[in-house]
Amino acid sequence: QVQLIESGGDSVQVGGSLNLSCVASGPNIPNLRMAWFRQAPKWREGVAAFYTSGAYAGVVKGRFTISRDNAKNTLYLQMTNLKPEDSSMYYCAAGDIYGGMWQREESYKYWGQGTQVTVSS
C-alpha cells in the first residue's frame, strides 16, 4: 500500500512563493506517475504531473515547477508568482503510468490528505 504525506502549505501574499513536498512510502514508488491536484468546486483539478518529465495545467505553466527525487521518494511543487485563485487544498497523487490522462483524478489510485495553500491580496 502506498502512502503519501504532503507538507509545505501556508498562507502567503499575492506574488509570493511556496514549495510543497510529498513523501511517498510503499512499493515501486519510482515506477509510479505522481501528480499534484487541487480542490476545485466540483472535482480535483490536475495542476502538474511527473513521471520522467513534467506536465502542467495551462493556468500554472510558467509559474509552477514539478520535480521528484526518486532516491528520497519525494515529489515537489515549486510555486511562484502566486495568485488568489491558486488558493486551495493541494493533494499529492500517485498511480500507474498507464492509468489514463494525467489531469484526471480517476487516473490515480493513491492520494494524500492534502496541504492548504492560501494566497491573499
Side-chain angles (χ1 to χ4, degrees):
Q1 182 75 3
V2 173
Q3 291 188 321
L4 305 172
I5 300 177
E6 304 98 331
S7 63
D10 205 345
S11 296
V12 296
Q13 294 198 326
V14 169
S17 300
L18 280 175
N19 294 316
L20 305 185
S21 298
C22 170
V23 178
S25 60
N28 291 324
I29 301 298
N31 294 327
L32 298 177
R33 178 173 57 186
M34 296 186 72
W36 289 99
F37 281 72
R38 63 188 183 191
Q39 189 67 50
K42 292 187 177 180
W43 54 76
R44 290 178 182 174
E45 173 188 40
V47 175
F50 197 102
Y51 180 55
T52 57
S53 61
Y56 299 91
V59 293
V60 305
K61 199 168 186 178
R63 299 189 297 122
F64 292 9
T65 302
I66 190 171
S67 61
R68 68 190 287 178
D69 184 338
N70 286 335
K72 296 182 179 180
N73 282 347
T74 302
L75 182 74
Y76 303 98
L77 186 68
Q78 182 180 26
M79 304 188 293
T80 64
N81 191 21
L82 283 161
K83 304 176 182 181
E85 53 264 40
D86 294 318
S87 297
S88 186
M89 184 71 79
Y90 282 71
Y91 296 93
C92 178
D96 193 294
I97 59 170
Y98 302 112
M101 295 178 65
W102 76 262
Q103 307 94 321
R104 297 178 67 89
E105 57 181 305
E106 55 264 36
S107 298
Y108 299 86
K109 183 176 181 180
Y110 306 105
W111 292 85
Q113 294 299 306
T115 186
Q116 180 68 39
V117 172
T118 304
V119 185
S120 57
S121 55

